[in-house]
Amino acid sequence: MSTAITLGQFIIEKQADFPYAKGELSRLLRDIAIAAKIINREVNKAGLMDILGNAGSNNIHSEPQQKLDVFANEQFISALKAGGECCIVASEENEDIIIIDPPDRKQGKYIVAIDPLDGSSNIDVNVPVGSIFSIIRKSNDVDPCALSDVLQKGHMQVAAGYIIYGSSTMLVYTTGKGVNGFTLDPSIGEFCLSHPDMHIPEDGNIYSINEGHYVNFPKGVKQYIKYCQEEQHPTRRPYISRYIGSMVADIHRNLIKGGIFIYPATASSPEGKLRLVYECNPIAFIIEQAGGRASNGHGRILDLEVSGLHQRTAVFIGSINMVSQVERFLKEAA
Ligand code: AHG
Ligand code: MN
Ligand code: MN
Ligand code: MN
């Protein structure tokens, strides 16, 4: 068995083409990986610790914060503060941006937007959850960093990734030169390259959507679901419906097997539920880099204007043929 390539080695050896000095990327990913390892430890023994259930507070989305939401958020913020490469942290769990400007060293040039714990509703029932991160460079080196640095379009990201705390813990990321997956080897505490150069199949037969909202789905989405339920898949067995309720887990499954993940506008979320800055843009970057498509139903998610830190969007993300097909249904139904 060849020796494992760790995340740190991979960045130094294989990511020399990172658009900025590769040292900064490796330090940023190191900081994120440190937080992920600590969160992983707590997730793996959640039932034995006082880390399950509600923290007793709500976040800006009036979601009851789970203890693990708060814990994960604290881990990412402190790891990024300690690492020194980041000047702003934007988090699902914080209403405003967190500016990091230590008095004793030069301020970092990067913004990190995070969903510290994705799929919180699954924590207490031992179903995979994740963390999502997006790395953007300050828009210029002159002005002090500000919210405008965060509200850049998704195609301005320099890196994006997610961690999935599942049957194994994986970190999957891109810097715009393809997608690579690393599995945590707990015996050495390192993320090791396990899924080099990941590609999402052009087609698939898995559709992933919360059909509980069916009544209020847009007409084109209803027609697409009916198509999946009634058409025999051209090359494989009929379409399969799979919905985990953690975006990271649903996306990761589709990245490996092919499929489409849909969270459209619904009555309770007329703009869509998922947040553009720290859920949809990073996931869209990854899936596009893996050869898939990431749309809001009408166009690229990565081209959407970003006007608010917690702005939401509808998402249709996955195998390029499946996303293009549902876009056709939406266009015809409009
Ligand atoms: P988060 O736990 O970070 O708030 O995200 C939850 C999101 C996403 O992970 C998942 O796809 C979606 O909420 C599930 O929403 P429904 O429960 O409405 O299906
Ligand atoms: Mn949440
Ligand atoms: Mn989330
Ligand atoms: Mn979250």
Side-chain angles (χ1 to χ4, degrees), residues 59 61 63 69 92-93 115 117 120 275:
N59 61 17
H61 319 274
E63 294 171 341
D69 279 324
E92 176 200 347
E93 303 305 331
D115 175 359
L117 212 289
S120 310
R275 283 60 58 108

Side-chain angles (χ1 to χ4, degrees), residues 76-77 80 86-91 96-100 112-114:
F76 279 110
I77 292 169
L80 289 164
C86 171
C87 60
I88 290 179
V89 177
S91 168
D96 302 314
I97 57 173
I98 297 157
I99 299 212
I100 298 172
V112 178
I114 50 166

